Amino acid sequence: MSRVNLEQQRAQGLQLVNGSKMGVMAQALTGTTVLNKDMPTLLLLDTGGVARNVDFPAVTADMKGLFFVIKNTSAGAFAITLRNAAAATIGDLAQSESCMVVCDGVVGTAGWHVLMVGTST
């Protein structure tokens, strides 16, 4: 199931019922995790007691506007390093921090941008 890019489309009077319909995944990480464009939008990630890397996929044109909301749910002070497909760091999430990461859809570039980072309980 692939998410569709709705560029230049219009949704009017939209109502989401029974949650966001964007999908949620809670996972204990066991190593570097590589995301793909078909994963749920909301990712609740536990580092499992050590710092971990989360790698975003290489950018393709159909990924413009694709985003993920990621929260570090670790019980300890272990960071998640967010990296693009070239393994370059685009951001870090400390314990209890969350962020939104958006793809600009420009093929051949890093393409992923951390828009905001915040702490929540």
Side-chain angles (χ1 to χ4, degrees):
M1 172 176 101
S2 181
R3 290 189 269 176
V4 177
N5 185 356
L6 297 177
E7 187 171 321
Q8 299 180 1
Q9 298 297 316
R10 180 180 170 156
Q12 185 171 344
L14 181 65
Q15 180 178 12
L16 298 176
V17 181
N18 294 331
S20 68
K21 303 291 187 186
M22 294 187 293
V24 177
M25 181 180 81
Q27 182 176 352
L29 305 177
T30 58
T32 295
T33 298
V34 180
L35 304 182
N36 67 64
K37 65 183 181 179
D38 295 324
M39 294 184 89
T41 301
L42 178 58
L43 304 173
L44 306 172
L45 305 177
D46 183 335
T47 64
V50 296
R52 301 284 186 190
N53 296 323
V54 171
D55 293 349
F56 289 82
V59 176
T60 57
D62 67 328
M63 292 168 61
K64 182 176 183 178
L66 179 67
F67 70 97
F68 293 97
V69 176
I70 300 172
K71 180 172 183 177
N72 181 343
T73 60
S74 299
F78 302 102
I80 294 174
T81 298
L82 306 172
R83 306 186 312 180
N84 63 27
T89 298
I90 59 172
D92 292 294
L93 289 179
Q95 177 187 11
S96 299
E97 285 187 333
S98 57
C99 72
M100 175 184 276
V101 183
V102 178
C103 181
D104 63 16
V106 179
V107 178
T109 67
W112 292 98
H113 307 276
V114 177
L115 294 185
M116 61 186 106
V117 176
T119 303
S120 60
T121 55

